Amino acid sequence: MPPDATVTMSAAKPILSPRQIVQMNVGFLGLQFSFGLQQGNMSPIYGILGADESALPLLYLAGPVTGLLVQPIVGAMSDRTLSPRGRRTPYFLIGAILCSLSLFAMPYSSALWMAAALLWILDAANNITMEPYRAYVSDRLDPSQHAQGFLTQSAFTGLAQTLSYLSPSILVWLGMNRDALDANGIPVITRVSFLIGAVLSFATIWYSIRRVPELPLSEAQRAEIAALKTGLGATLREIWDAIREMPTAMRQLAVMKLFQWYAMVCYWQYVIHAVARSVFDTTDPNSAAFREASLAYGQAGAFYNLIACVAAFAMVPFTRRLGAGKVHAFCLAAGGVGMLMLPGLHDRWMIFLPMIGVGLAWGSIMGNPYVMLASSIPPQRTGVYMGIFNMMIVIPMLIQSATLPFIYRSWLGGDPRQVVMLGGALLLCAAVATLFVRVPREVPAR
């Protein structure tokens, strides 16, 4: 990368207290509550509106496509942004507002195309917020606190998705009718859950940026950013240069992420259908038994996210002592075993057992790879490399969406339980790939 295209972020960073690290990551509660609502509710909503099971990967294309387009561009743009509120904050706010509006509208979808279109907007908004939030942690914290910062984000991911998965059950426990449907056949408890998410999405991000604002740039840093070329062409050139000069460890992480994210998308798309068949013996998304399956898995999904929340904090000393790679490999293996077990269980309470492994995997996925990445990239290019790293999430999702419909009936027998087991096998492959990643101890100088 030419010398005039970098910004040296060398100013000393204050050590934050654990309370401040928690406060700066509260915004992840709202952001991940939104993702949890998608994971727990979009497949049933699509089924209610008439989607065929084999088409689910295509209907989920919104996430990977918007992530592929939005995250690297927003990352590169935020590296070069000068505003009174900082480099990352404008993107937090824009994304949070769009996310809240989309969550509010989603449960009022009257047709399949409407739900799919709203998911595109929702995923674009989430991606606008997600990438700068990752870079914000790396910007704001001293390298000695990176593990604590990213694993705190992981903990909030677990907590948020615990609440989002559990929110329909909580509403039932509070007296709402689980079988009450709106005019489009969507359960009323689903609608209320999305409305709660709309409020949380904006409120929590606003709280974080108010409590722990970005560090002010020095005059020299501002001058360097102001001297950089702007515009879409310059942004795309910066992304291309960063890809060509990608550190070796980051390339190795891409192999692990291919297996990891193909597996997780298989799981999220088909787990409710798998539980409906193995535990409740139904394939009809409009039946009372399927709604009961959704509630049962919502409780199990909340449990695995609770495990992820607790495990993320518990992993901090192990990550510091053993390294993020070894810890991540162990957790992925536990998740793979859990997914392989799940389809063979026929009691609604037994499905909580494999959730322990899935929770360990999810808690690690949202934290440890970013610890490994932060040690491998130059700090002045944090935004663009975080965006490219998130492309390594969405590209496996695109591959899954393009390939699974072709093998769903021919190789997997049209059975969602087989898709979940495929996800388990791929998580085991990801665990092995993680052991081959070599992360440098020092951030490379440029």
Side-chain angles (χ1 to χ4, degrees), residues 38-370:
Q38 292 180 48
Q39 293 166 13
N41 294 280
M42 287 312 301
S43 288
I45 288 174
Y46 282 149
I48 290 166
L49 296 175
D52 184 82
E53 283 182 3
S54 63
L56 288 179
L58 298 176
L59 291 169
Y60 275 92
L61 272 174
V65 172
T66 57
L68 184 65
L69 297 175
V70 170
Q71 291 214 25
I73 293 174
V74 168
M77 289 174 62
S78 69
D79 280 344
R80 298 161 177 253
T81 294
L82 291 173
S83 80
R85 290 192 174 274
R87 294 191 298 164
R88 319 296 183 188
T89 300
Y91 301 95
F92 297 164
L93 295 176
I94 292 169
I97 291 170
L98 290 174
C99 179
S100 293
L101 293 174
S102 300
L103 287 171
F104 182 84
M106 180 66 76
Y108 292 93
S109 298
S110 57
L112 187 59
W113 69 265
M114 182 177 177
L118 284 170
L119 186 61
W120 279 82
I121 299 171
L122 177 59
D123 272 317
N126 281 333
N127 281 301
I128 289 170
T129 304
M130 173 71 80
E131 192 288 326
Y133 218 129
R134 295 292 194 186
Y136 164 58
V137 170
S138 188
D139 291 345
R140 194 67 171 81
L141 295 178
D142 183 82
S144 65
Q145 293 190 302
H146 280 170
Q148 188 174 358
F150 286 118
L151 287 170
T152 300
Q153 282 192 348
S154 179
F156 271 112
T157 298
L159 176 60
Q161 296 192 7
T162 296
L163 296 173
S164 63
Y165 273 98
L166 203 54
S167 56
S169 293
I170 292 174
L171 293 172
V172 171
W173 297 335
L174 292 175
M176 292 188 67
N177 182 358
R178 74 183 66 193
D179 294 318
L181 307 177
D182 66 13
N184 302 313
I186 296 173
V188 174
I189 55 175
T190 300
R191 175 186 294 180
V192 175
S193 297
F194 272 79
L195 297 182
I196 293 170
V199 174
L200 282 177
S201 180
F202 182 80
T204 56
I205 288 174
W206 178 254
Y207 174 86
S208 283
I209 61 179
R210 292 284 292 177
R211 298 298 298 177
V212 188
E214 294 186 64
L215 289 172
L217 298 174
S218 68
E219 288 303 318
Q221 290 168 342
R222 295 181 67 86
E224 285 186 67
I225 292 175
L228 298 178
K229 294 180 179 179
T230 58
L232 181 60
T235 298
L236 295 177
R237 280 194 298 275
E238 161 66 354
I239 294 169
W240 176 246
D241 287 342
I243 290 173
R244 289 192 301 107
E245 300 167 16
M246 188 185 302
T248 300
M250 191 171 174
R251 296 180 187 274
Q252 294 169 336
L253 283 166
V255 178
M256 175 272 291
K257 295 187 78 173
L258 174 62
F259 292 120
Q260 172 183 284
W261 285 102
Y262 196 114
M264 293 307 299
V265 176
C266 286
Y267 176 78
W268 289 326
Q269 288 175 353
Y270 285 95
V271 64
I272 292 177
H273 289 78
V275 169
R277 291 196 186 195
S278 62
V279 179
F280 294 90
D281 195 27
T282 182
T283 60
D284 181 5
N286 291 295
S287 66
F290 196 95
R291 289 193 291 274
E292 187 64 25
S294 296
L295 285 174
Y297 178 71
Q299 294 159 16
F303 179 68
Y304 95 66
N305 279 288
L306 181 61
I307 293 291
C309 176
V310 175
F313 285 119
M315 284 178 206
V316 174
F318 291 100
T319 295
R320 288 173 176 166
R321 182 176 178 180
L322 302 174
K326 291 180 180 178
V327 174
H328 191 51
F330 172 81
C331 293
L332 289 178
V337 172
M339 289 186 191
L340 289 170
M341 287 176 56
L342 181 61
L345 301 175
H346 304 290
D347 182 278
R348 68 177 296 167
W349 302 112
M350 285 298 295
I351 66 175
F352 282 77
L353 181 60
M355 294 301 104
I356 297 173
V358 176
L360 286 173
W362 185 230
S364 185
I365 284 169
M366 295 305 292
N368 279 315
Y370 294 92

